[in-house]
Amino acid sequence: MRFFLAVLMLLAWLDMAIAQVAIGPVAGQPTVVQINPDGATTLRVRWRIQLNSTTGGVATVSSSSGVTNLGATIGGPLTRTVRHPGGGVFFVTITESLYVDRTTAQRIAAAGPGTYNRVFTVGFGGGASAASILTQPSSGGALSLRNVDLSFDDGNRYRVVDPGDPLSARLVVTTNGRGFFSGRWELAGPTGSSAFRPIGRVNKRLSGARRTVFETPNLPTDGSGLYRVRFVPDDVIPGTSRTPLPQLSYSVVGDADARRGVALGLTSPEPGSSVTRTTRFSWRPVKGAARYKLEFSTQGRAGFASDIVAAVASSKTSLRLKPNTLQRLGGRRELFWRVIAFDRAGNPIASSSERRLR
């Protein structure tokens, strides 16, 4: 019984303390917010509420929701409880993360400039004050690229595939503003066919700060040799001069091709060999190659995309591994190796199939 009396007395005291606070003017910052009419928008709004207190106590300021001049209810409940000293004016600031969905943003844009309104109360429903900020649609400016990247579907820029393997490339662009993005996918190869030819198009209107992924049609893998893939935009888009579009390449290699010397051929060590400090890795030279890269993986072909445990560069066609590389390879239950050839510009021009060591 005493507990319940104590609770009632506490509530009565809190009510008296709160009752000594009157709400004054409320101001929103910024006074004008830009709404993206082509997509969802998240805004940050700071509400500054003036309170007048005669005695010290606790004050709770709250607002159930916000509403636009079109009648759309947006913005969730806001509340803040503060202890005040009494005897004058003090201010409470509440920061709101305001989410405007795409449908509401389009309605605001269609109606033109408007308002976003909130009603704040203090205490248990006692005293209220309204505030509003202006809303207006944002044009967003002309389309520009913040970032652009081109890679295969596994994230790499060079691939070795078997005949008939499925393969595609992806262009990832991050944009600002609004505009029409268009261009064409081009392919060159197999080896000997150096001219690029179109294989697909991209045509899409983009708006707002967003990340968009464009994918090629299925790339041909029925013929052996080296292929190159690129994307050529129809127009010069601001940002592309600072971030040049990369070019991809892939080799279609089968075991029979390797035996005929169509791809880069490995000569030693033999499959199943152990690796020691005397083991010599060697391969056939590739016309036009300026350097080679010897790679090791623990997961075969799939591992070269995500699990390369060691790599060694060389301008020659044979080498022995140094102690630090041997140490990295030690203790592996399974180990595979391959070699990639690069021209003087750093472009991959040929690759071996992977070979198992142990």
Side-chain angles (χ1 to χ4, degrees):
M1 186 66 177
R2 290 181 179 178
F3 173 75
F4 289 110
L5 287 174
V7 171
L8 290 174
M9 291 176 65
L10 177 61
L11 291 175
W13 177 82
L14 287 174
D15 188 50
M16 289 179 63
I18 293 172
Q20 303 304 313
V21 180
I23 192 167
V26 179
Q29 290 291 333
T31 57
V32 180
V33 293
Q34 303 285 331
I35 306 295
N36 176 16
D38 295 308
T41 304
T42 300
L43 305 169
R44 187 178 178 87
V45 181
R46 295 175 67 251
W47 301 100
R48 191 169 186 262
I49 304 105
Q50 177 181 316
L51 299 177
N52 304 292
S53 65
T54 56
T55 60
V58 176
T60 299
V61 181
S62 61
S63 173
S64 60
S65 65
V67 63
T68 69
N69 60 301
L70 302 176
T73 300
I74 58 176
L78 301 177
T79 183
R80 185 177 178 189
T81 300
V82 295
R83 180 173 295 276
H84 57 95
V89 175
F90 67 101
F91 295 89
V92 175
T93 300
I94 301 178
T95 301
E96 175 183 11
S97 182
L98 176 63
Y99 176 78
V100 183
D101 62 66
R102 182 175 182 179
T103 300
T104 303
Q106 289 175 338
R107 289 182 58 193
I108 292 174
T115 58
Y116 172 61
N117 312 289
R118 271 194 179 273
V119 175
F120 290 87
T121 60
V122 62
F124 296 108
S129 185
S132 64
I133 57 176
L134 297 178
T135 60
Q136 63 183 30
S138 170
S139 63
L143 183 68
S144 65
L145 292 182
R146 293 168 50 199
N147 187 51
V148 58
D149 188 43
L150 183 62
S151 66
F152 288 109
D153 47 17
D154 65 350
N156 288 304
R157 293 183 179 176
Y158 179 66
R159 287 284 301 273
V160 179
V161 298
D162 287 324
D165 280 356
L167 184 65
S168 62
R170 295 173 181 173
L171 177 70
V172 181
V173 295
T174 305
T175 56
N176 280 329
R178 293 190 295 171
F180 196 70
F181 183 78
S182 63
R184 62 190 181 276
W185 292 106
E186 293 187 342
L187 178 76
T191 305
S193 302
S194 58
F196 279 94
R197 59 190 182 275
I199 59 171
R201 283 201 57 80
V202 167
N203 295 283
K204 188 175 180 64
R205 175 170 285 282
L206 302 177
S207 61
R210 61 184 296 178
R211 177 179 180 271
T212 309
V213 180
F214 301 100
E215 190 163 349
T216 63
N218 290 332
L219 297 173
T221 58
D222 51 341
S224 299
L226 177 71
Y227 295 78
R228 290 174 292 156
V229 184
R230 70 183 183 185
F231 180 81
V232 181
D234 289 339
D235 300 307
V236 176
I237 298 183
T240 54
S241 59
R242 296 189 301 273
T243 311
L245 293 176
Q247 188 178 114
L248 310 181
S249 56
Y250 66 97
S251 292
V252 179
V253 179
D255 291 338
D257 297 324
R259 287 193 297 270
R260 292 197 302 268
V262 175
L264 194 158
L266 305 178
T267 56
S268 69
E270 293 296 324
S273 301
S274 297
V275 181
T276 68
R277 62 184 180 86
T278 62
T279 302
R280 178 169 290 278
F281 291 85
S282 61
W283 51 92
R284 297 187 183 93
V286 173
K287 184 179 180 181
R291 65 182 181 89
Y292 302 89
K293 185 168 72 169
L294 173 60
E295 296 181 335
F296 296 89
S297 168
T298 59
Q299 301 179 31
R301 179 179 293 257
F304 287 107
S306 60
D307 185 41
I308 295 177
V309 295
V312 181
S314 175
S315 59
K316 300 179 180 179
T317 57
S318 68
L319 58 84
R320 289 191 177 97
L321 300 181
K322 294 182 178 180
N324 59 338
T325 305
L326 288 170
Q327 186 176 6
R328 295 188 63 182
L329 301 180
R332 311 281 182 174
R333 295 182 58 184
E334 289 188 326
L335 199 61
F336 301 83
W337 68 291
R338 74 173 183 183
V339 177
I340 302 174
F342 297 85
D343 61 17
R344 293 188 181 279
N347 300 309
I349 58 175
S351 175
S352 72
S353 57
E354 71 279 359
R355 178 176 289 187
R356 185 179 182 129
L357 287 169
R358 56 172 182 261

